Amino acid sequence: MHGQAGKTLEGKTNVKKALGAVFAALLIGAVNVVGSPTADAAELPDFPMALPVGWGLKVQAGGTHTFSSGVRSSVDLGASGGVSVPVVAAADGVVSEVKAGCQVIVTHDDGWQTKYFHLKNVAAVKVGQKISAGTKLGMTGMPGSETCGRGSFRHVHFTLLKSGKEMPIDGLSLGGYTIHSTGGSYCGYWTRDSDGAVVADARRSCYAVPKVTNSLLHPADLSAAGAGNTEV
């Protein structure tokens, strides 16, 4: 009897030890989960940007899509009715590439870059030239006939890059509005930063809609604040 009782007691002790080990493992796991860093938020410029079109213009604004890498780094901006409109720098920076009758790339702080594609009448800016937000870079052209690339209306294909690499543009604040990606390529919407109201909804049409007016954030205010200053 004593031998049997001893075995029973030993068995209970082993069970308690096993349960204790399991509890300790679960506790350590929980601590690791709580202490683990969360996924990084999308990397975006930490300086404000203006809409890259002339002040006071109402333009069509569509959802996000790629330039060439597959990353949804870009949006299209252009006036209704096939009108050609001025394209301007979204922030202070240095001109890093110019292709006549096609595009301009501007480099800003921390390696951030903005590309302006489908341009005609490219302005007389030169590589290495320091420019301010609002500097005219060219006019929106009709892709295929007036400028490089392909497309169905006169617009600027505005792309966000970092050190030459396309970056997701989802969540970028541009001219007092924020760009949002949804669904497939060219799908998304724009909200007004001041109140979160949806002002351009391309979630279903997945095509640029004429709902964004460049009247909220003047480029001159960005230059006054030193936004995106870059040393030559």
Side-chain angles (χ1 to χ4, degrees), residues 20 27 30 36 50 87 93 115 118 129 131 144 153 156 164 170 196 217 219 230:
L27 182 61
S36 297
V87 176
K115 179 188 288 188
H118 300 322
Q129 179 180 342
I131 61 175
F153 74 112
V156 57
D170 179 47
L217 185 62
T230 306

Side-chain angles (χ1 to χ4, degrees), residues 45-47 92-93 107-113 162 226-231:
D46 61 1
F47 51 87
D92 296 355
T107 297
H108 313 283
D109 275 349
D110 300 323
W112 286 104
Q113 296 172 303
K162 189 169 188 181
N229 287 332
T230 306
E231 295 296 324

Side-chain angles (χ1 to χ4, degrees), residues 9 92 163:
L9 181 60
D92 296 355
S163 302

